[in-house]
Amino acid sequence: MPSTPWTRPDTSTRPIAVIGGGVMGRRIAMMWIASNFTVILCEKELQSGNAVKYVQEHEAEQAGLQGTEPAELKATTSLQEAAGNAWMVVEAVPEKLELKIDLLAELDKITPPDCIIASNSSSLRSSQMIVKTEKNYRICNGHYYMPPDQTYFELMSCGHTDPDVFPFLMEKATQAGFKPVHAQGDSTGLIFNRIWASLKREILLVLAEGVSDAQTIDDMFKSWFKATKGPCLMMDTVGLDTVYNIEVVYSQQRQMDTTAMKWLKENYVDKGNLGAKAGKGLLG
């Protein structure tokens, strides 16, 4: 790859911007803050304060585990305020390609040229999001799972990412308590989510066909794999609307069977039964 103008940004005086304070955004923000990285959390609406509350309730405990002091959390509705001087922006908005394309285009204009723009998308490739951007040498996938319980952090190039971004970001992520891994090829779903998606799809088919119920599936899964959580609980925790949006991506890009996706939409998403955040999901 030809040389790019990217240089390592100063992480000691500049913040991380997390765009989106949903289930994942607030967890990502909490982990970085607990490791003494200043974070500005940007949401369209901050009235509920749920994301800020989550960070405040968990940052001290996580910092204690890591032997660090929590940094400052700032919250704003202004994208310019959040990202204008950031050394990294974490895109954590819903799993909709057009939304991410437009957001990355705006971030590409307002962030410093050395700022890393990392999409937390669990299925979409950052190479699909750069149709309106110019400084693609600092754009990549930076996908988190469910920290602090699951701390793997997957990195993947948009096809133009400066190779030096990856060791730098892996170093910083390790400092923040993550386990970084580098996906070496362009992949829908990155590494583990490609495997996890097929498991989720089959579980939804078992439920759709009335073969079993969610609790039985979770009990058997935990017994077989010595897991602390079952897959239905994990889907409820992430949000069934997010599970559905991810399935839409797979069906479009990998020509997957849509039976489970349609059943989930008709029986849960359309009825507002989105899992833990709605008080009702696969586990009732």
Side-chain angles (χ1 to χ4, degrees), residues 84-132:
N85 189 41
W87 70 264
M88 177 173 67
V89 176
V90 178
E91 173 276 297
V93 301
E95 200 78 347
K96 298 179 180 179
L97 181 57
E98 289 305 318
L99 177 62
K100 293 177 185 290
I101 288 174
D102 290 342
L103 176 58
L104 261 63
E106 190 169 0
L107 291 170
D108 192 43
K109 294 176 182 177
I110 66 174
T111 53
D114 61 351
C115 175
I116 298 167
I117 301 175
S119 172
N120 181 53
S121 177
S122 58
S123 59
L124 294 164
R125 305 186 302 275
S126 54
S127 60
Q128 299 172 274
M129 304 175 196
I130 57 174
V131 295
K132 297 180 181 179

Side-chain angles (χ1 to χ4, degrees), residues 48-154:
S48 66
N50 289 335
V52 172
K53 182 180 178 182
Y54 175 87
V55 174
Q56 292 173 340
E57 289 178 346
H58 293 84
E59 61 182 357
E61 179 183 359
Q62 185 63 32
L65 293 173
Q66 296 176 197
T68 53
E69 288 292 329
E72 182 182 6
L73 170 66
K74 299 178 181 179
T76 182
T77 58
S78 167
L79 195 64
Q80 176 67 51
E81 182 182 355
N85 189 41
W87 70 264
M88 177 173 67
V89 176
V90 178
E91 173 276 297
V93 301
E95 200 78 347
K96 298 179 180 179
L97 181 57
E98 289 305 318
L99 177 62
K100 293 177 185 290
I101 288 174
D102 290 342
L103 176 58
L104 261 63
E106 190 169 0
L107 291 170
D108 192 43
K109 294 176 182 177
I110 66 174
T111 53
D114 61 351
C115 175
I116 298 167
I117 301 175
S119 172
N120 181 53
S121 177
S122 58
S123 59
L124 294 164
R125 305 186 302 275
S126 54
S127 60
Q128 299 172 274
M129 304 175 196
I130 57 174
V131 295
K132 297 180 181 179
T133 55
E134 296 179 358
K135 297 182 282 294
N136 297 330
Y137 58 82
R138 42 59 173 281
I139 297 175
C140 64
N141 280 85
H143 172 242
Y144 304 79
Y145 282 85
M146 287 295 285
D149 301 325
Q150 180 54 264
T151 56
Y152 275 100
F153 175 49
E154 295 177 321

Side-chain angles (χ1 to χ4, degrees), residues 167-236:
F168 171 78
L169 198 48
M170 292 174 84
E171 173 192 328
K172 297 301 177 181
T174 300
Q175 290 177 21
F178 295 105
K179 300 175 183 176
V181 293
H182 187 185
Q184 299 295 322
D186 199 33
S187 173
T188 298
L190 284 79
I191 304 170
F192 184 76
N193 266 343
R194 285 188 58 169
I195 302 165
W196 173 230
S198 62
L199 180 61
K200 289 188 296 182
R201 195 173 302 115
E202 195 62 33
I203 288 167
L204 293 173
L205 283 173
V206 168
L207 293 170
E209 295 170 8
V211 177
S212 187
D213 59 85
Q215 189 61 61
T216 300
I217 292 170
D218 274 16
D219 289 344
M220 295 180 74
F221 184 94
K222 288 188 289 185
S223 176
W224 275 103
F225 297 103
K226 308 302 180 187
T228 57
K229 294 181 181 178
C232 295
L233 175 58
M234 288 189 274
M235 284 190 273
D236 277 350

